[in-house]
Amino acid sequence: MINHSFIQPDFSLRHHNTFGIDAKAHAYLRVESIEDVQFVRSNSALTQLPHLVLGGGSNILLTRDFDGLILHMCNRGIQIIGEDSHATYVRAAAGENWHDFVQWTLDQGLAGLENLSLIPGSVGAAPIQNIGAYGTELQDYFHNLSAFDFDTGETGVLHRAECAFGYRDSIFKHRLRSRMIILDVTFALPKQWQPNLRYAELAQALSAMSNAPTARQISDMVIAIRRRKLPDPAVIGNAGSFFKNPVVPPAQRTTLLAAHPQLVSYVQGDGNYKLAAGWLIDQCGWKGKTLGCAGVYEMQALVLVNRGGASGKEIAQLAAAIQADVRERFGIMLEPEPMYV
Ligand code: EPU
């Protein structure tokens, strides 16, 4: 059981957000188990403070110091909890590193998560924005999760339908934001696995192989593509894609296409079109540009970077300038992917 002495006051979050922004938290606690969260909830001094649950810090923008308590999820553990004729069920604690978890599943010969290799962040944060890459989303292999309800003090299991997964979206970004603390996530990894090569660049990269690729080979290729196109947060501070790809109805896409024949768009299951936000930003001339200490990554205009010593405000100012230009030129308001704190 923890006590007050484990709570660190005036704590720098610099090494706990992948932008590397030097903001401070009023108080900070490493959460190793559910008892730590229960302790916080039962302590009236602590419940008065706003709290922020932190995973790998790869999807937040700290625009100022946080005047509350950071609950940093650090619980660990990965295990196979069962199987049936369709799937093997694997449970991972929220504090596990996402990429290490994916590699662990592949080491066990379990396929499914390979397209999601090298995504920064933690297992517990992954459902919040339904992480996705190279044609796969977390929801495709999600089974359920357990979460501590800060309002009731109870732990419950949430199934897929209750999580309301969408494109980089879930109920944890809305109604249950800051109420539910995700403790662990269980995945159903299929017994009958097929490689997912829907994403053209991945299919192209693997096309020279004579046999169908293994999950491990796909993982290795995804890692190679990501390393080529995306900055390593350990070297250049960033939070991956800074904006969501906007989804527009067919009529709006037709109008845009008439004015911009090179427009990059992908039809969705519902007939709407997803536009490449990176292309829109690129067309506005922002790629490689710098504003203060914040910049737009040279290889991928969708990624904002900390060029060294940037504040969260500077990143937010750059994001706002990009939003204004894209709106003026294309009539589209880009929506940030990371959560502003
Ligand atoms: N493009 C440009 N200029 C740029 C960037 C992109 O013209 O500077 C155009 C290119 O035509 C390119 C297209 O946009 O073909 C799409 O770019 P890319 O394949 O790099 O994918 P994205 O739409 O920019 C999305 C995800 C990424 C994910 C990749 C691969 C979002 C917001 N981003 O990026 O996710 O890795 O697809 O699946 O959906 C993340 O969420 O942090 C992230 C990195």
Side-chain angles (χ1 to χ4, degrees):
M1 185 61 82
I2 60 160
N3 59 48
H4 259 110
S5 63
F6 286 82
I7 293 185
Q8 301 183 52
D10 222 13
F11 186 86
S12 169
L13 296 170
R14 177 151 181 206
H15 299 295
H16 296 285
N17 70 101
T18 57
F19 263 122
I21 286 161
D22 197 9
K24 281 203 175 73
H26 175 70
Y28 166 93
L29 175 67
R30 269 178 74 90
V31 173
E32 313 269 1
S33 72
I34 186 170
E35 283 78 26
D36 298 344
V37 193
Q38 283 163 339
F39 166 79
V40 169
R41 189 173 179 272
S42 64
N43 183 303
S44 58
L46 295 178
T47 49
Q48 317 246 318
L49 293 174
H51 67 261
L52 175 72
V53 181
L54 188 67
S58 58
N59 204 43
I60 54 165
L61 179 64
L62 297 163
T63 58
R64 56 185 167 89
D65 289 345
F66 180 64
D67 197 19
L69 172 65
I70 298 281
L71 298 173
H72 185 194
M73 300 308 291
C74 297
N75 58 335
R76 305 299 296 264
I78 303 176
Q79 52 176 323
I80 294 173
I81 59 160
E83 63 178 311
D84 57 26
S85 55
H86 304 292
T88 305
Y89 297 87
V90 185
R91 178 172 295 160
E96 290 288 342
N97 172 273
W98 173 262
H99 177 69
D100 292 348
F101 167 60
V102 172
Q103 295 305 305
W104 185 92
T105 61
L106 296 173
D107 289 346
Q108 313 303 308
L110 300 170
L113 302 178
E114 56 283 346
N115 294 41
L116 303 178
S117 296
L118 211 64
I119 295 183
S122 63
V123 167
I128 298 176
Q129 66 153 349
N130 181 27
I131 57 171
Y134 307 102
T136 298
E137 285 187 336
L138 168 129
Q139 66 169 335
D140 301 338
Y141 297 104
F142 176 88
H143 184 58
N144 65 30
L145 59 78
S146 60
F148 179 81
D149 185 332
F150 222 78
D151 281 4
T152 65
E154 279 166 19
T155 299
V157 173
L158 279 92
H159 296 276
R160 188 205 311 249
E162 296 163 281
C163 297
F165 290 122
Y167 167 54
R168 298 293 192 278
D169 202 27
S170 76
I171 198 160
F172 306 104
K173 274 190 158 183
H174 306 281
R175 195 160 62 75
L176 297 184
R177 180 169 165 177
S178 77
R179 173 171 158 189
M180 289 290 188
I181 298 180
I182 296 170
L183 299 169
D184 57 58
V185 187
T186 301
F187 295 86
L189 301 176
K191 292 266 172 80
Q192 298 292 323
W193 171 81
Q194 292 286 335
N196 174 358
L197 302 176
R198 282 192 287 274
Y199 187 86
E201 193 180 351
L202 183 59
Q204 168 77 36
L206 291 162
S207 62
M209 291 174 57
S210 48
N211 296 321
T214 63
R216 173 64 71 191
Q217 286 167 328
I218 293 175
S219 171
D220 289 346
M221 190 54 79
V222 165
I223 291 170
I225 295 174
R226 288 189 75 97
R227 289 218 166 108
R228 203 162 56 230
K229 289 173 74 167
L230 298 167
D232 177 355
V235 182
I236 304 173
N238 77 92
S241 298
F242 194 88
F243 299 102
K244 290 189 190 183
N245 284 328
V247 178
V248 300
Q252 189 177 359
R253 183 239 182 196
T254 305
T255 310
L256 282 167
L257 206 53
H260 310 279
Q262 309 296 319
L263 184 82
V264 182
S265 64
Y266 314 90
V267 70
Q268 302 299 289
D270 59 4
N272 289 324
Y273 284 85
K274 194 181 262 186
L275 308 182
W279 185 86
L280 301 174
I281 298 167
D282 204 349
Q283 292 300 301
C284 293
W286 275 107
K287 200 179 201 166
K289 291 280 163 62
T290 300
L291 199 66
C293 300
V296 182
Y297 191 52
E298 284 69 13
M299 307 291 288
Q300 174 36 300
L302 199 47
V303 178
L304 303 193
V305 296
N306 179 353
R307 298 231 188 263
S311 67
K313 279 207 179 78
E314 276 177 304
I315 306 271
Q317 276 160 4
L318 173 61
I322 291 170
Q323 280 172 315
D325 277 5
V326 169
R327 189 175 182 171
E328 189 177 313
R329 179 135 186 217
F330 298 102
I332 286 169
M333 189 62 189
L334 293 179
E335 189 189 330
E337 196 183 277
M339 189 173 79
Y340 283 47
V341 177

